Amino acid sequence: MILLLLACTYTVEDYWADLSEAHCTCTQDGDVPTCMEEWEARYSSTDAWAQCRDEDSPITRSEARQWVNDYTDACRLPDSPVLYPDDPDWSQQCSP
């Protein structure tokens, strides 16, 4: 049961991976994995990554997936606002 609950958790790391995959899918000519590695390297060098990567995402999985689908369907940013948490200082709430 605990493994099932853990599998359902949508973390900050998952959120960033979804955003970077969407970006890389739309900006790279077939080299999505390398692009995603470069984005992860950028994220992993931040304090927010160290403190927040295993925390619950500030955006729900369904919100992220919908935005990513809208973006990657036409590879143009959707009319909906860029997918960021309502609280711009959300990472300050993560456990150190």
Side-chain angles (χ1 to χ4, degrees):
M1 183 64 143
I2 291 176
L3 291 177
L4 181 60
L5 290 174
L6 289 174
C8 294
T9 301
Y10 188 64
T11 65
V12 170
E13 184 173 6
D14 298 327
Y15 162 61
W16 282 336
D18 286 345
L19 294 185
S20 62
E21 182 174 13
H23 167 76
C24 293
T25 297
C26 288
T27 61
Q28 300 301 305
D29 292 327
D31 197 5
V32 173
T34 299
C35 176
M36 288 183 66
E37 287 174 15
E38 290 169 359
W39 277 90
E40 184 176 330
R42 288 181 196 142
Y43 292 144
S44 65
S45 66
T46 66
D47 290 337
W49 177 267
Q51 294 176 353
C52 298
R53 73 182 274 193
D54 295 325
E55 300 279 333
D56 289 342
S57 171
I59 301 294
T60 67
R61 181 187 308 264
S62 61
E63 289 173 319
R65 295 266 164 88
Q66 183 60 53
W67 190 90
V68 165
N69 288 339
D70 291 348
Y71 178 39
T72 57
D73 281 348
C75 285
R76 161 176 79 90
L77 289 175
D79 292 334
S80 59
V82 176
L83 189 62
Y84 290 115
D86 292 333
D87 178 3
D89 296 323
W90 65 271
S91 64
Q92 302 301 317
Q93 306 301 317
C94 295
S95 305

